């Protein structure tokens, strides 16, 4: 790996629509036994791999050419300083720092002895939108499948702030009026040296934000906050759509802080992802952020020792953030949970189809290669209807018009859609716990999700469905 990509709802690498297949229910033993041989073979292979990874600091995370002679760019997550002459850039998360540094092979060996993570990228960025989004079972329909998670009209997530790092948001969409608290751009720096931020009611109205943004786009060709891809608007709508034109979100009372870090094609280099996470670190208290939704990821060494996973764990521990991350769309194959969903304190979310009560065929499986049980939960992730950009034509709508449901909505599939379902359920319980005078800490929210989940495996947490699918209950 070496790039950070949005986890999109593609589900299948083949072009065209995907037909429904008869897959054994995850409730049946046949569902697991049908893949037992492949799992055993993979376990044997991983055992051999782990035997070679006794020196965690040097192997695997560095990339296949990491210890070749000469200097290369490395990302180092550490609590200790690096020699200033070798540092290109640094991101600060309190005591934890992530350095971008030029290191020789022998320096890597020295640094890795005390670093929490060392990583050398193989390529700067990639877009996962090269493969189409997939509409399952013959096409989109009007069923609002995400509402399966809601079993009561109470607890809308009122007043709970959810941060979404994604492709931006169409903040002028009628369903999202009143949902947006702040907009943040990783593409523009203000005159004060900070990332361009628009706080609703402080900097002005959203219409005034759009006036500024049109000027920026006319000059530089890049939107600051507006979602010209479509993914971020869809994810945000799953969480907090007010439902003015239909299909409300699961937490229609929640407020959104949307950080645009991914471009029109759905790509972002590692540097920009770290910048976005650093912004969240510095502004969690300022905006009262309780939940962080990451509907993106990258395949790779998923022991949780890469810099981004280390940062996610640190943020969850030190800030008390509930970080919800898409598990990935690598198919029902063991050991394919993405980074940073593999982080120890991140909630890795797989996708399932509530209409069939089975795991989606594209959803990544655990465990991690160090044999931790991931995924943690599953959410509705097949033909999920939510908002699409209406202020500008999105990349997704332009390239895949078959996904459009109506003027304001489209249907997408993927663990990218499942993750915000869980984020929204968590927002509802954050409101519920606060009403009961219980502080909605990381542990309290996790316990609420576990206690209110429908178990797809009655024997307990597993690497396919985790603790199950959480529900909003009274």
């Amino acid at each position: 790996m070496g790039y950070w990509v949005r986890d999109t709802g593609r589900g299948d690498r083949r072009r065209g629509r995907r037909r429904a297949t008869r897959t054994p229910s995850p409730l049946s033993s046949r569902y697991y036994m049908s893949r037992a041989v492949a799992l055993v073979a993979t376990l044997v292979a991983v055992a051999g791999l782990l035997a070679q990874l006794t020196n965690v600091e040097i192997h695997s995370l560095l990339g296949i050419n990491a210890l070749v002679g000469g200097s290369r760019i490395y990302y180092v997550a550490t609590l200790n300083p690096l020699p200033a002459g070798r540092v290109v850039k640094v991101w600060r998360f309190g005591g934890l720092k992530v350095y971008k540094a030029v290191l020789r092979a022998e320096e890597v060996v020295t640094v890795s002895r005390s670093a929490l993570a060392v990583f050398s990228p193989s390529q700067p960025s990639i877009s996962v939108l090269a493969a189409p989004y997939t509409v399952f079972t013959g096409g989109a329909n009007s069923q609002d499948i995400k509402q399966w998670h809601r079993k009561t009209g109470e607890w809308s997530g009122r007043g709970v702030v959810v941060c979404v790092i994604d492709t931006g948001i169409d903040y002028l969409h009628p369903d999202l009026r009143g949902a947006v608290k702040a907009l943040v751009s990783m593409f523009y720096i203000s005159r004060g040296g900070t990332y361009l931020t628009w706080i609703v009611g402080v900097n002005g109205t959203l219409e005034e934000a759009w006036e500024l943004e049109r000027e920026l786009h006319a000059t530089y060709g890049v939107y600051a906050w507006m979602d010209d891809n479509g993914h971020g608007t869809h994810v945000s709508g799953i969480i907090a759509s007010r439902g003015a034109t239909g299909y409300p979100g699961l937490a229609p009372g929640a407020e959104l802080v949307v950080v645009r870090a991914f471009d029109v094609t759905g790509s972002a280099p590692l540097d920009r992802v770290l910048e976005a996470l650093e912004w969240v670190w510095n502004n969690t208290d300022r905006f009262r952020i309780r939940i962080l939704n990451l509907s993106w990821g990258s395949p790779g060494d998923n022991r949780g020792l890469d810099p981004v996973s280390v940062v996610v764990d640190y943020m969850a521990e030190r800030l008390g953030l509930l970080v919800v991350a898409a598990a990935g769309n690598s198919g029902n194959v063991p050991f394919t949970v993405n980074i940073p969903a593999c982080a120890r304190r991140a909630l890795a979310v797989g996708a399932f189809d509530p209409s069939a009560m089975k795991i989606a065929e594209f959803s990544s499986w655990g465990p991690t290669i160090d044999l931790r049980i991931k995924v943690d939960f599953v959410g509705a992730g097949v033909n999920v209807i939510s908002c699409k950009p209406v202020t500008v034509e999105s990349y997704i709508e332009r390239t895949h018009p078959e996904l459009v449901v109506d003027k304001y909505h489209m249907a997408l599939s993927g663990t990218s859609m499942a993750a915000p379902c869980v984020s929204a359920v968590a927002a509802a319980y954050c409101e519920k716990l606060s009403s009961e005078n219980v502080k909605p800490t990381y542990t309290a929210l996790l316990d609420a999700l576990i206690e209110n989940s429908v178990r797809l495996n009655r024997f307990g947490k597993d690497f396919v469905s985790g603790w199950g699918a959480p529900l909003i209950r009274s």
Side-chain angles (χ1 to χ4, degrees):
M1 53 168 267
Y3 49 83
W4 296 89
V5 298
R6 281 190 310 95
D7 171 29
T8 66
R10 68 186 191 272
D12 188 10
R13 296 181 182 274
R14 296 170 295 179
R15 292 197 173 272
R17 295 178 176 176
R18 191 174 187 182
R19 295 180 180 177
T21 58
R22 294 184 179 180
T23 301
S25 166
L27 294 172
S28 69
S29 60
R30 186 161 62 93
Y31 183 77
Y32 294 100
M33 291 301 295
S34 64
R35 293 170 174 83
V37 174
L39 175 59
V40 171
T42 308
L43 283 169
V44 172
V46 170
L49 173 63
L50 290 175
Q52 302 175 46
L53 295 179
T54 53
N55 191 341
V56 169
E57 296 86 352
I58 297 176
H59 295 288
S60 182
L61 296 180
L62 306 181
I64 58 175
N65 298 316
L67 299 181
V68 177
S71 299
R72 290 185 58 180
I73 291 288
Y74 292 89
Y75 292 82
V76 181
T78 181
L79 300 174
N80 303 310
L82 288 188
R86 315 300 286 174
V87 175
V88 177
K89 191 171 184 179
V90 59
W91 296 271
R92 295 175 173 84
F93 303 87
L96 175 68
K97 296 178 177 61
V98 177
Y99 293 94
K100 183 179 182 180
V102 179
L103 301 175
R104 295 188 299 271
E106 59 271 20
E107 292 175 312
V108 173
V109 174
T110 301
V111 167
S112 64
R113 290 184 181 131
S114 59
L116 300 175
V118 184
F119 171 74
S120 179
S122 58
Q123 53 183 312
S125 64
I126 192 171
S127 172
V128 296
L129 290 180
Y133 285 83
T134 302
V135 177
F136 285 74
T137 322
N141 55 50
S142 60
Q143 183 182 8
D144 192 3
I145 197 69
K146 65 180 178 293
Q147 295 300 329
W148 178 89
H149 288 276
R150 176 168 287 283
K151 304 304 179 185
T152 177
E154 294 182 281
W155 320 124
S156 66
R158 182 168 55 90
V160 179
V161 181
V162 181
C163 181
V164 177
I165 299 177
D166 215 287
T167 61
I169 184 173
D170 183 353
Y171 46 87
L172 298 179
H173 192 294
D175 290 355
L176 296 169
R177 291 282 184 168
V180 177
K181 183 182 182 75
L183 303 165
V184 186
S185 177
M186 296 293 108
F187 292 86
Y188 290 95
I189 303 292
S190 70
R191 291 178 180 176
T194 60
Y195 293 107
L196 189 61
T197 301
W198 191 275
I199 304 173
V200 180
V202 175
N203 298 103
T205 66
L206 291 174
E207 286 76 13
E208 290 171 326
W210 177 232
E211 290 179 14
L212 170 63
E213 188 155 25
R214 281 190 297 180
E215 293 177 5
L216 291 172
H217 186 266
T219 304
Y220 302 103
V222 178
Y223 288 115
W225 311 293
M226 181 57 68
D227 180 16
D228 52 0
N229 174 274
H231 186 272
T233 300
H234 196 270
V235 167
S236 297
I238 291 172
I239 298 170
S241 167
R242 275 29 182 176
T245 65
Y247 305 105
L250 281 170
E255 298 178 277
L256 298 174
V257 172
V258 181
V259 180
R260 185 171 191 243
F262 294 84
D263 63 21
V264 62
T265 66
S267 301
L270 176 56
D271 285 26
R272 202 186 301 144
V273 168
L274 289 169
E275 288 162 2
L277 291 171
E278 184 183 44
W279 185 93
V280 175
W281 170 272
N282 291 327
N283 290 277
T284 291
D285 290 340
R286 178 187 179 191
F287 291 100
R288 299 184 296 107
I289 298 170
R290 291 294 307 119
I291 299 163
L292 176 60
N293 188 90
L294 308 178
S295 284
W296 44 265
S298 176
D301 182 329
N302 61 15
R303 289 176 295 159
L305 299 175
D306 63 278
V308 173
S309 294
V310 169
V311 166
V312 165
D313 279 335
Y314 199 76
M315 292 174 70
E317 180 181 355
R318 297 304 176 94
L319 300 178
L321 280 177
L322 193 74
V323 183
V324 182
N329 298 336
S330 299
N332 294 167
V333 180
F335 307 103
T336 56
V337 171
N338 277 2
I339 299 166
C342 63
R344 284 157 177 78
R345 294 180 71 85
L347 302 189
V349 181
F352 91 119
D353 183 354
S355 65
M357 288 302 291
K358 70 177 184 180
I359 302 298
E361 292 183 359
F362 56 78
S363 187
S364 291
W365 284 6
T368 59
I369 65 171
D370 57 341
L371 303 182
R372 288 178 293 115
I373 299 298
K374 292 275 186 174
V375 297
D376 297 298
F377 296 96
V378 292
V382 179
N383 291 344
V384 181
I385 299 176
S386 183
C387 304
K388 75 174 185 67
V390 294
T391 305
V392 298
E393 185 183 31
S394 71
Y395 179 91
I396 296 174
E397 181 176 0
R398 186 168 61 253
T399 54
H400 303 292
E402 72 277 9
L403 302 174
V404 174
V405 174
D406 58 34
K407 180 180 177 181
Y408 299 102
H409 306 95
M410 60 183 173
L412 302 181
S413 300
T415 57
S416 277
M417 287 65 250
C421 285
V422 173
S423 291
V425 174
Y429 282 112
C430 193
E431 179 194 2
K432 183 177 187 293
L433 289 171
S434 296
S435 73
E436 297 169 349
N437 295 318
V438 177
K439 187 175 182 180
T441 62
Y442 174 95
T443 300
L445 287 173
L446 179 58
D447 288 345
L449 291 174
I450 293 173
E451 291 170 7
N452 291 281
S453 288
V454 172
R455 301 291 176 87
L456 302 186
N457 174 8
R458 66 178 183 272
F459 297 109
K461 185 181 182 184
D462 62 36
F463 61 84
V464 174
S465 61
W467 291 109
L471 305 178
I472 301 173
R473 291 170 168 154
S474 57

